[in-house]
Amino acid sequence: MPQFKKILCPVDFDPNSLMALRLASELAQEGKAILYVLHVVAMPPGPEVALPFGKMEAAARTKLERLARQKVNGKAHYEVEVMMGDPAVEILQAAKRRGADLIVMATHGRKGLRHLVLGSVAEHVVREAPCPVLTVKPKAPAAKSSASRPMKKRSA
């Protein structure tokens, strides 16, 4: 089995990215790897807009540091980084800059029009990454089996 020594885990704070962080933390702990926990504050497309990006970045850094402390919990060595820009581009640049040998990231499971409109950061990263990418899918809601549903009696 390959030994990963530098693991990048992008986090967007949704529940699925927290699952990816937990998995990345376990892999880093087992392989004695360094874990790079990254959050990208997405910049809106178009001309520069006067938004409080400095405040957004500081808030994201505080939240990410707290999250990493809780989820990694001293089990692995980690570093936190917050970037501004297009999430897919920044993740790829961070992987190259850090020399990551594995990226562990969440997918959102968007389909159809939502996928077309919102795009897929994970899909872009998988296509362009300089290293293997382990994607963590959202958990599907448990389907009810027909055996657990009461049957309606038909009248004859």
Side-chain angles (χ1 to χ4, degrees), residues 14-29:
D14 88 335
N16 203 43
S17 72
L18 302 183
M19 288 174 42
L21 178 57
R22 189 190 77 220
L23 178 59
S25 175
E26 291 171 5
L27 290 170
Q29 179 185 3

Side-chain angles (χ1 to χ4, degrees), residues 130-151:
C131 61
V133 180
L134 175 60
T135 58
V136 179
K137 291 172 43 172
K139 285 188 176 180
K144 293 182 182 177
S145 70
S146 58
S148 64
R149 284 189 229 140
M151 298 282 291

Side-chain angles (χ1 to χ4, degrees), residues 104-149:
V104 179
M105 67 184 299
T107 64
H108 293 293
R110 293 185 187 110
K111 291 183 177 22
L113 186 59
R114 288 188 69 203
H115 174 75
L116 184 64
V117 172
L118 299 173
S120 171
V121 173
E123 185 177 319
H124 185 144
V125 171
V126 166
R127 274 196 322 268
E128 304 291 328
C131 61
V133 180
L134 175 60
T135 58
V136 179
K137 291 172 43 172
K139 285 188 176 180
K144 293 182 182 177
S145 70
S146 58
S148 64
R149 284 189 229 140

Side-chain angles (χ1 to χ4, degrees), residues 6-127:
K6 296 179 180 181
I7 300 172
L8 175 65
C9 183
V11 174
D12 65 3
F13 303 120
D14 88 335
N16 203 43
S17 72
L18 302 183
M19 288 174 42
L21 178 57
R22 189 190 77 220
L23 178 59
S25 175
E26 291 171 5
L27 290 170
Q29 179 185 3
E30 287 175 15
K32 297 185 182 4
I34 185 166
L35 176 60
Y36 299 104
V37 184
L38 171 70
H39 176 74
V40 179
V41 178
M43 303 265 299
E48 292 290 324
V49 181
L51 293 174
F53 286 117
K55 288 182 181 179
M56 292 168 61
E57 186 176 9
R61 179 173 300 283
T62 300
K63 187 174 181 178
L64 190 61
E65 287 172 347
R66 184 174 354 116
L67 180 70
R69 254 191 324 275
Q70 291 170 349
K71 299 296 180 187
V72 179
N73 196 19
K75 295 176 183 171
H77 179 70
Y78 68 91
E79 292 181 18
V80 169
E81 184 174 13
V82 175
M83 303 299 299
M84 308 273 302
D86 177 274
V89 170
E90 295 300 328
I91 291 166
L92 291 167
Q93 288 179 354
K96 290 173 186 167
R97 187 175 55 252
R98 298 292 190 170
D101 30 44
L102 178 66
I103 299 172
V104 179
M105 67 184 299
T107 64
H108 293 293
R110 293 185 187 110
K111 291 183 177 22
L113 186 59
R114 288 188 69 203
H115 174 75
L116 184 64
V117 172
L118 299 173
S120 171
V121 173
E123 185 177 319
H124 185 144
V125 171
V126 166
R127 274 196 322 268

